[in-house]
Amino acid sequence: MSLSPDIRLKRTNNTDTDFLSLVSLLDKFLQGLNGEAQGDYASHNKLDYLDTAIVVYLNDEPVGCGCFKQYNDNSVEVKRMFVSPIARGKGIASKILTGLELWATERGFKYTVLETLKTNTEAVNLYKKQNYKVIDNYGPYITLTNSVCMRKEL
């Protein structure tokens, strides 16, 4: 899907080499935010094969990604959202999120849920701006005090 002459969104899967490269940058970013505590989160970031990943290209360079997996019968969980520092401030994260939500709706889902770090204020602000509401921590995040979980009705 083309968003502007220089921004392109590609639906793919989580074995895509550009997606994997961006996820590697995300993991380094999260390690910097979390330090040693990142080990508590790493196991929740591993994904089985998913055919619901998005990569965003800016001037044909991969600069952002995200994906979702089914959480329950009505919901998907948004995972692995990332925009490289050189591409931030261009609305790319919002485009990824909107693309994932549209795709989830096309597949019949009614809600999205997600988890991010309380210390990742840029992400928290993005999700709130996109009408996500804070909910009680769910699943593997219940005991992780630096997590904030959110939900949105599609």
Coordinates of all heavy atoms in Angstrom, one line a residue, residues 40-117:
D40 N 13.3 -10.2 31.6 CA 11.9 -10.5 32.0 C 10.9 -10.4 30.9 O 9.8 -11.0 30.9 CB 11.4 -9.6 33.1 CG 12.2 -9.7 34.4 OD1 12.8 -10.8 34.6 OD2 12.3 -8.7 35.2
Y41 N 11.2 -9.6 29.9 CA 10.3 -9.4 28.7 C 10.7 -10.2 27.5 O 9.8 -10.5 26.6 CB 10.4 -7.9 28.3 CG 9.8 -7.0 29.4 CD1 10.5 -6.5 30.4 CD2 8.4 -6.7 29.4 CE1 10.0 -5.7 31.4 CE2 7.8 -5.9 30.4 CZ 8.6 -5.4 31.4 OH 8.1 -4.6 32.4
A42 N 12.0 -10.6 27.4 CA 12.4 -11.2 26.1 C 11.6 -12.4 25.7 O 11.3 -12.6 24.5 CB 13.9 -11.6 26.3
S43 N 11.3 -13.3 26.7 CA 10.5 -14.5 26.3 C 9.1 -14.2 25.8 O 8.6 -15.0 25.0 CB 10.4 -15.4 27.5 OG 9.6 -14.8 28.5
H44 N 8.6 -13.0 26.1 CA 7.2 -12.6 25.6 C 7.3 -12.0 24.2 O 6.3 -11.8 23.6 CB 6.6 -11.7 26.6 CG 6.6 -12.1 28.0 ND1 6.0 -13.3 28.4 CD2 7.1 -11.6 29.1 CE1 6.2 -13.5 29.7 NE2 6.8 -12.4 30.1
N45 N 8.5 -11.7 23.7 CA 8.7 -11.1 22.4 C 9.0 -12.1 21.3 O 9.2 -11.7 20.2 CB 9.8 -10.0 22.5 CG 9.3 -8.9 23.4 OD1 8.1 -8.6 23.4 ND2 10.2 -8.2 24.1
K46 N 9.2 -13.3 21.7 CA 9.5 -14.4 20.7 C 8.1 -14.7 20.0 O 7.1 -14.9 20.7 CB 10.1 -15.6 21.3 CG 11.4 -15.2 22.0 CD 12.4 -16.3 21.9 CE 13.7 -16.1 22.6 NZ 14.2 -14.8 22.6
L47 N 8.1 -14.8 18.7 CA 6.9 -15.0 18.0 C 7.0 -16.3 17.1 O 8.0 -16.5 16.4 CB 6.6 -13.9 17.0 CG 6.4 -12.5 17.7 CD1 6.3 -11.4 16.7 CD2 5.2 -12.5 18.6
D48 N 6.0 -17.1 17.2 CA 5.9 -18.2 16.2 C 5.6 -17.6 14.9 O 5.4 -16.4 14.8 CB 4.8 -19.2 16.6 CG 5.0 -19.9 17.9 OD1 6.2 -20.2 18.2 OD2 4.1 -20.2 18.6
Y49 N 5.6 -18.4 13.8 CA 5.3 -17.8 12.5 C 4.0 -17.0 12.5 O 3.0 -17.5 13.0 CB 5.2 -19.0 11.5 CG 4.9 -18.4 10.1 CD1 5.9 -17.8 9.3 CD2 3.6 -18.5 9.6 CE1 5.5 -17.3 8.1 CE2 3.2 -18.0 8.4 CZ 4.2 -17.4 7.6 OH 3.9 -16.8 6.4
L50 N 4.1 -15.9 12.0 CA 2.9 -15.0 11.8 C 2.9 -14.5 10.4 O 3.9 -14.1 9.8 CB 3.0 -13.8 12.7 CG 2.9 -14.0 14.2 CD1 3.1 -12.7 15.0 CD2 1.5 -14.6 14.6
D51 N 1.7 -14.5 9.8 CA 1.5 -13.9 8.4 C 0.9 -12.5 8.5 O 0.3 -12.0 7.6 CB 0.7 -14.8 7.5 CG -0.7 -15.0 8.0 OD1 -1.0 -14.6 9.1 OD2 -1.5 -15.6 7.2
T52 N 1.1 -11.8 9.7 CA 0.5 -10.5 9.9 C 1.5 -9.5 10.4 O 1.4 -8.9 11.5 CB -0.7 -10.7 10.9 OG1 -0.2 -11.4 12.1 CG2 -1.8 -11.5 10.4
A53 N 2.5 -9.3 9.6 CA 3.6 -8.3 9.9 C 3.5 -7.2 8.8 O 3.1 -7.5 7.7 CB 4.9 -9.0 9.9
I54 N 3.9 -6.0 9.3 CA 4.0 -4.9 8.4 C 5.4 -4.3 8.5 O 5.9 -4.2 9.5 CB 2.9 -3.8 8.7 CG1 1.5 -4.3 8.3 CG2 3.2 -2.5 8.1 CD1 0.4 -3.3 8.7
V55 N 5.9 -4.0 7.3 CA 7.2 -3.2 7.2 C 6.9 -1.9 6.5 O 6.2 -2.0 5.4 CB 8.3 -4.0 6.5 CG1 9.5 -3.1 6.3 CG2 8.6 -5.3 7.3
V56 N 7.4 -0.8 7.0 CA 7.2 0.5 6.3 C 8.5 0.9 5.7 O 9.6 0.8 6.4 CB 6.7 1.6 7.3 CG1 6.7 2.9 6.6 CG2 5.3 1.2 7.7
Y57 N 8.5 1.4 4.5 CA 9.6 1.8 3.8 C 9.5 3.3 3.6 O 8.5 3.8 3.2 CB 9.7 1.1 2.4 CG 10.0 -0.4 2.5 CD1 8.9 -1.2 2.7 CD2 11.2 -0.9 2.5 CE1 9.1 -2.6 2.8 CE2 11.4 -2.3 2.7 CZ 10.3 -3.1 2.8 OH 10.5 -4.4 3.0
L58 N 10.6 4.0 3.8 CA 10.8 5.4 3.5 C 11.8 5.5 2.5 O 13.0 5.1 2.7 CB 11.1 6.2 4.8 CG 11.4 7.7 4.7 CD1 10.1 8.4 4.2 CD2 11.9 8.3 6.0
N59 N 11.5 6.0 1.3 CA 12.4 6.1 0.2 C 13.1 4.7 -0.1 O 14.3 4.6 -0.2 CB 13.4 7.2 0.4 CG 12.8 8.6 0.5 OD1 11.9 8.9 -0.3 ND2 13.3 9.4 1.4
D60 N 12.3 3.7 0.0 CA 12.7 2.3 -0.3 C 13.6 1.7 0.8 O 14.2 0.6 0.6 CB 13.3 2.1 -1.6 CG 12.3 2.4 -2.7 OD1 11.1 2.0 -2.6 OD2 12.7 3.0 -3.8
E61 N 13.8 2.4 1.9 CA 14.6 1.9 3.1 C 13.6 1.4 4.1 O 12.7 2.2 4.5 CB 15.5 2.9 3.6 CG 16.6 3.3 2.7 CD 17.6 2.2 2.4 OE1 17.9 1.4 3.4 OE2 18.0 2.0 1.3
P62 N 13.8 0.2 4.7 CA 12.9 -0.2 5.8 C 13.1 0.6 7.1 O 14.3 0.6 7.5 CB 13.3 -1.7 6.0 CG 14.7 -1.8 5.4 CD 14.8 -0.8 4.4
V63 N 12.1 1.2 7.6 CA 12.3 2.1 8.7 C 11.3 1.8 9.9 O 11.5 2.4 11.0 CB 12.1 3.6 8.3 CG1 13.3 4.0 7.4 CG2 10.8 3.9 7.7
G64 N 10.3 1.0 9.7 CA 9.4 0.7 10.7 C 8.7 -0.7 10.5 O 8.6 -1.2 9.4
C65 N 8.2 -1.2 11.7 CA 7.5 -2.5 11.6 C 6.6 -2.7 12.8 O 6.6 -1.9 13.7 CB 8.5 -3.6 11.6 SG 9.5 -3.8 13.2
G66 N 5.7 -3.7 12.6 CA 4.8 -4.1 13.7 C 4.1 -5.4 13.2 O 4.2 -5.7 12.0
C67 N 3.5 -6.1 14.1 CA 2.7 -7.3 13.7 C 1.7 -7.5 14.7 O 1.6 -6.8 15.7 CB 3.7 -8.5 13.6 SG 4.5 -9.0 15.1
F68 N 0.8 -8.5 14.5 CA -0.2 -8.9 15.5 C -0.3 -10.4 15.5 O 0.0 -11.0 14.5 CB -1.5 -8.1 15.3 CG -2.3 -8.5 14.1 CD1 -3.1 -9.6 14.1 CD2 -2.3 -7.6 13.0 CE1 -3.9 -9.9 13.0 CE2 -3.0 -7.9 11.9 CZ -3.9 -9.0 11.9
K69 N -0.8 -10.9 16.6 CA -1.1 -12.3 16.7 C -2.5 -12.4 17.4 O -2.9 -11.5 18.2 CB -0.1 -13.1 17.4 CG 0.1 -12.7 18.9 CD 1.1 -13.6 19.6 CE 1.2 -13.3 21.1 NZ 2.1 -14.2 21.7
Q70 N -3.2 -13.5 17.1 CA -4.5 -13.6 17.8 C -4.3 -13.8 19.3 O -3.4 -14.5 19.8 CB -5.2 -14.9 17.2 CG -6.6 -15.0 17.8 CD -7.4 -16.1 17.1 OE1 -7.0 -16.6 16.0 NE2 -8.5 -16.4 17.7
Y71 N -5.0 -13.0 20.1 CA -5.0 -13.1 21.5 C -6.1 -14.0 22.1 O -5.9 -14.8 22.9 CB -5.0 -11.7 22.1 CG -5.0 -11.7 23.6 CD1 -3.9 -12.1 24.3 CD2 -6.1 -11.3 24.4 CE1 -3.8 -12.1 25.7 CE2 -6.1 -11.4 25.7 CZ -5.0 -11.7 26.4 OH -4.9 -11.8 27.8
N72 N -7.3 -13.7 21.6 CA -8.5 -14.6 21.9 C -9.4 -14.5 20.7 O -9.1 -14.1 19.6 CB -9.1 -14.2 23.2 CG -9.7 -12.8 23.2 OD1 -10.1 -12.2 22.2 ND2 -9.7 -12.1 24.4
D73 N -10.6 -15.0 20.9 CA -11.6 -15.1 19.8 C -11.9 -13.8 19.1 O -12.2 -13.7 17.9 CB -12.9 -15.8 20.2 CG -12.7 -17.3 20.5 OD1 -11.7 -17.9 20.0 OD2 -13.6 -17.9 21.1
N74 N -11.9 -12.7 19.9 CA -12.3 -11.4 19.4 C -11.1 -10.4 19.3 O -11.3 -9.3 18.8 CB -13.3 -10.8 20.4 CG -14.6 -11.5 20.4 OD1 -15.1 -12.0 19.3 ND2 -15.2 -11.8 21.6
S75 N -9.9 -10.7 19.8 CA -8.9 -9.8 19.9 C -7.5 -10.3 19.3 O -7.3 -11.5 19.3 CB -8.6 -9.5 21.4 OG -9.7 -9.0 22.0
V76 N -6.8 -9.3 18.9 CA -5.4 -9.5 18.5 C -4.5 -8.7 19.4 O -4.9 -7.7 20.0 CB -5.1 -9.2 17.0 CG1 -5.9 -10.0 16.1 CG2 -5.3 -7.7 16.8
E77 N -3.2 -9.2 19.6 CA -2.2 -8.5 20.3 C -1.2 -7.9 19.4 O -0.6 -8.6 18.6 CB -1.5 -9.4 21.3 CG -0.5 -8.7 22.2 CD 0.1 -9.6 23.2 OE1 0.2 -10.9 23.0 OE2 0.6 -9.1 24.2
V78 N -1.1 -6.6 19.5 CA -0.1 -5.9 18.7 C 1.3 -6.1 19.3 O 1.5 -6.0 20.5 CB -0.4 -4.3 18.6 CG1 0.7 -3.6 17.9 CG2 -1.8 -4.1 17.9
K79 N 2.2 -6.5 18.4 CA 3.6 -6.8 18.9 C 4.6 -6.1 18.0 O 4.4 -5.7 16.9 CB 3.8 -8.3 18.8 CG 2.8 -9.2 19.5 CD 2.9 -9.2 21.0 CE 4.2 -9.9 21.5 NZ 4.3 -9.8 22.9
R80 N 5.8 -6.0 18.6 CA 7.0 -5.6 17.8 C 6.9 -4.3 17.0 O 7.4 -4.2 15.9 CB 7.5 -6.8 16.9 CG 7.5 -8.2 17.6 CD 8.2 -8.2 19.0 NE 9.6 -8.0 18.8 CZ 10.5 -7.8 19.8 NH1 10.1 -7.6 21.0 NH2 11.8 -7.6 19.5
M81 N 6.3 -3.3 17.6 CA 6.2 -2.0 17.0 C 7.5 -1.3 17.1 O 8.0 -1.2 18.2 CB 5.1 -1.2 17.7 CG 3.7 -1.6 17.4 SD 3.1 -1.0 15.8 CE 3.2 0.8 16.0
F82 N 8.0 -0.8 16.0 CA 9.3 0.0 16.1 C 9.4 0.9 14.9 O 9.0 0.5 13.7 CB 10.4 -1.0 16.0 CG 11.8 -0.4 16.1 CD1 12.2 0.2 17.2 CD2 12.6 -0.3 14.9 CE1 13.5 0.9 17.3 CE2 13.8 0.3 15.0 CZ 14.3 0.9 16.1
V83 N 9.9 2.1 15.1 CA 10.3 3.0 14.0 C 11.8 3.4 14.3 O 12.1 3.8 15.4 CB 9.4 4.2 14.0 CG1 9.9 5.2 12.9 CG2 8.0 3.8 13.7
S84 N 12.6 3.3 13.3 CA 14.0 3.6 13.5 C 14.1 5.1 13.8 O 13.3 5.9 13.3 CB 14.8 3.3 12.3 OG 14.4 4.0 11.2
P85 N 15.1 5.5 14.6 CA 15.3 6.9 15.0 C 15.3 7.9 13.9 O 14.8 9.0 14.0 CB 16.6 6.9 15.8 CG 16.7 5.5 16.3 CD 16.1 4.6 15.3
I86 N 15.9 7.5 12.7 CA 16.0 8.4 11.6 C 14.7 8.8 11.0 O 14.5 9.7 10.3 CB 17.0 7.9 10.5 CG1 16.5 6.6 9.9 CG2 18.4 7.8 11.0 CD1 17.1 6.2 8.6
A87 N 13.6 7.9 11.3 CA 12.3 8.1 10.6 C 11.3 8.6 11.6 O 10.1 8.7 11.2 CB 11.9 6.8 10.0
R88 N 11.6 8.8 12.8 CA 10.6 9.2 13.8 C 10.2 10.7 13.5 O 10.9 11.5 12.9 CB 11.2 9.1 15.2 CG 11.4 7.7 15.6 CD 11.9 7.4 17.0 NE 12.2 6.0 17.1 CZ 13.0 5.5 18.0 NH1 13.6 6.2 18.9 NH2 13.1 4.2 18.1
G89 N 8.9 10.9 14.0 CA 8.4 12.3 13.8 C 7.7 12.5 12.4 O 7.3 13.6 12.1
K90 N 7.6 11.4 11.7 CA 6.9 11.5 10.4 C 5.6 10.8 10.3 O 5.0 10.6 9.2 CB 7.9 10.9 9.3 CG 9.2 11.6 9.2 CD 10.1 10.9 8.1 CE 11.4 11.4 7.9 NZ 11.8 12.7 8.5
G91 N 5.1 10.4 11.5 CA 3.8 9.7 11.5 C 3.8 8.2 11.1 O 2.8 7.6 10.9
I92 N 5.0 7.7 11.0 CA 5.1 6.3 10.6 C 4.5 5.3 11.6 O 3.8 4.3 11.2 CB 6.6 6.0 10.2 CG1 6.9 6.7 8.9 CG2 6.8 4.5 10.0 CD1 8.4 6.7 8.5
A93 N 4.7 5.5 12.9 CA 4.2 4.6 13.9 C 2.7 4.6 13.8 O 2.0 3.5 13.9 CB 4.7 5.0 15.3
S94 N 2.1 5.7 13.6 CA 0.6 5.8 13.5 C 0.1 5.0 12.2 O -0.9 4.3 12.3 CB 0.1 7.2 13.4 OG 0.4 7.9 14.6
K95 N 0.9 5.1 11.1 CA 0.5 4.4 9.9 C 0.6 2.9 10.1 O -0.2 2.2 9.6 CB 1.4 4.9 8.8 CG 1.1 6.3 8.3 CD 2.1 6.8 7.3 CE 1.9 8.1 6.7 NZ 1.4 9.2 7.5
I96 N 1.7 2.5 10.8 CA 1.8 1.0 11.1 C 0.6 0.5 11.9 O 0.0 -0.5 11.6 CB 3.1 0.7 11.8 CG1 4.3 1.0 11.0 CG2 3.2 -0.7 12.3 CD1 5.7 1.1 11.7
L97 N 0.3 1.3 13.0 CA -0.7 0.9 13.9 C -2.1 0.9 13.2 O -2.9 -0.1 13.3 CB -0.8 1.8 15.1 CG -1.6 1.4 16.3 CD1 -1.1 0.0 16.8 CD2 -1.4 2.4 17.4
T98 N -2.4 1.9 12.4 CA -3.6 1.9 11.6 C -3.7 0.7 10.6 O -4.7 0.1 10.4 CB -3.7 3.3 10.8 OG1 -3.8 4.3 11.8 CG2 -5.0 3.3 10.0
G99 N -2.5 0.4 10.0 CA -2.5 -0.7 9.1 C -2.8 -2.0 9.7 O -3.5 -2.9 9.2
L100 N -2.2 -2.2 10.9 CA -2.4 -3.4 11.7 C -3.9 -3.5 12.1 O -4.5 -4.6 12.0 CB -1.5 -3.5 12.9 CG 0.0 -3.7 12.6 CD1 0.8 -3.5 13.9 CD2 0.3 -5.0 12.0
E101 N -4.5 -2.4 12.6 CA -5.9 -2.4 13.0 C -6.8 -2.7 11.8 O -7.8 -3.5 12.0 CB -6.2 -1.1 13.6 CG -5.5 -0.8 14.9 CD -5.6 0.7 15.4 OE1 -6.1 1.5 14.6 OE2 -5.1 0.9 16.5
L102 N -6.5 -2.2 10.7 CA -7.3 -2.4 9.5 C -7.3 -3.9 9.1 O -8.3 -4.6 8.8 CB -6.9 -1.6 8.3 CG -7.5 -1.9 6.9 CD1 -9.0 -1.5 7.0 CD2 -6.8 -1.0 5.9
W103 N -6.1 -4.5 9.2 CA -5.9 -5.9 8.8 C -6.6 -6.8 9.8 O -7.2 -7.7 9.4 CB -4.4 -6.1 8.8 CG -3.9 -7.3 8.0 CD1 -4.6 -8.3 7.4 CD2 -2.5 -7.7 7.8 NE1 -3.8 -9.2 6.8 CE2 -2.5 -8.9 7.1 CE3 -1.3 -7.1 8.2 CZ2 -1.3 -9.5 6.7 CZ3 -0.1 -7.7 7.8 CH2 -0.1 -8.9 7.0
A104 N -6.5 -6.4 11.1 CA -7.2 -7.2 12.1 C -8.7 -7.2 11.9 O -9.4 -8.2 12.0 CB -6.9 -6.7 13.5
T105 N -9.2 -6.0 11.5 CA -10.7 -5.8 11.2 C -11.1 -6.7 10.0 O -12.1 -7.3 10.1 CB -11.0 -4.3 11.0 OG1 -10.7 -3.6 12.1 CG2 -12.5 -4.1 10.7
E106 N -10.2 -6.7 9.0 CA -10.5 -7.5 7.8 C -10.6 -9.0 8.2 O -11.3 -9.7 7.5 CB -9.4 -7.3 6.8 CG -9.4 -6.0 6.1 CD -8.1 -5.7 5.3 OE1 -7.3 -6.6 5.1 OE2 -8.0 -4.6 4.8
R107 N -9.9 -9.4 9.2 CA -9.9 -10.8 9.7 C -11.0 -11.1 10.7 O -11.1 -12.1 11.3 CB -8.5 -11.2 10.2 CG -7.5 -11.2 9.1 CD -6.3 -12.0 9.5 NE -5.5 -12.2 8.3 CZ -4.4 -13.0 8.4 NH1 -4.1 -13.7 9.5 NH2 -3.7 -13.2 7.3
G108 N -11.8 -10.0 11.0 CA -13.0 -10.2 11.8 C -12.8 -10.0 13.3 O -13.7 -10.3 14.1
F109 N -11.7 -9.4 13.7 CA -11.4 -9.1 15.1 C -12.1 -7.8 15.5 O -12.2 -6.9 14.7 CB -9.9 -9.1 15.4 CG -9.3 -10.5 15.2 CD1 -8.6 -10.8 14.1 CD2 -9.4 -11.4 16.2 CE1 -8.1 -12.1 13.9 CE2 -8.9 -12.7 16.1 CZ -8.2 -13.1 14.9
K110 N -12.4 -7.7 16.8 CA -13.1 -6.5 17.3 C -12.3 -5.6 18.2 O -12.6 -4.5 18.4 CB -14.3 -7.0 18.1 CG -15.3 -7.9 17.4 CD -16.0 -7.2 16.3 CE -17.0 -8.2 15.6 NZ -17.2 -7.9 14.2
Y111 N -11.2 -6.2 18.7 CA -10.3 -5.4 19.6 C -8.9 -5.7 19.4 O -8.5 -6.7 18.8 CB -10.6 -5.8 21.1 CG -12.1 -5.7 21.5 CD1 -12.9 -6.8 21.4 CD2 -12.6 -4.5 22.0 CE1 -14.2 -6.7 21.7 CE2 -13.9 -4.4 22.3 CZ -14.7 -5.5 22.2 OH -16.1 -5.4 22.5
T112 N -8.0 -4.7 19.8 CA -6.6 -5.0 19.9 C -6.2 -4.8 21.3 O -6.8 -3.9 22.1 CB -5.8 -4.0 19.0 OG1 -6.1 -2.6 19.3 CG2 -6.1 -4.2 17.5
V113 N -5.2 -5.5 21.7 CA -4.6 -5.3 23.0 C -3.1 -5.2 22.8 O -2.6 -5.6 21.7 CB -4.9 -6.4 24.1 CG1 -6.3 -6.5 24.4 CG2 -4.4 -7.8 23.6
L114 N -2.4 -4.6 23.7 CA -0.9 -4.5 23.6 C -0.3 -4.2 25.0 O -1.0 -3.8 25.9 CB -0.5 -3.4 22.6 CG -1.0 -2.0 22.8 CD1 -0.1 -1.2 23.8 CD2 -1.1 -1.2 21.5
E115 N 1.0 -4.4 25.0 CA 1.8 -4.1 26.2 C 3.0 -3.3 25.8 O 3.6 -3.5 24.7 CB 2.3 -5.4 26.9 CG 3.2 -5.2 28.1 CD 4.6 -5.0 27.8 OE1 5.1 -5.4 26.6 OE2 5.4 -4.5 28.6
T116 N 3.3 -2.3 26.6 CA 4.5 -1.5 26.4 C 5.1 -1.2 27.7 O 4.5 -1.4 28.8 CB 4.3 -0.3 25.5 OG1 5.6 0.2 25.0 CG2 3.5 0.8 26.2
L117 N 6.3 -0.6 27.7 CA 6.9 -0.2 29.0 C 6.4 1.2 29.4 O 6.3 2.1 28.6 CB 8.4 -0.1 28.8 CG 9.1 -1.4 28.4 CD1 10.6 -1.1 28.0 CD2 9.0 -2.4 29.5

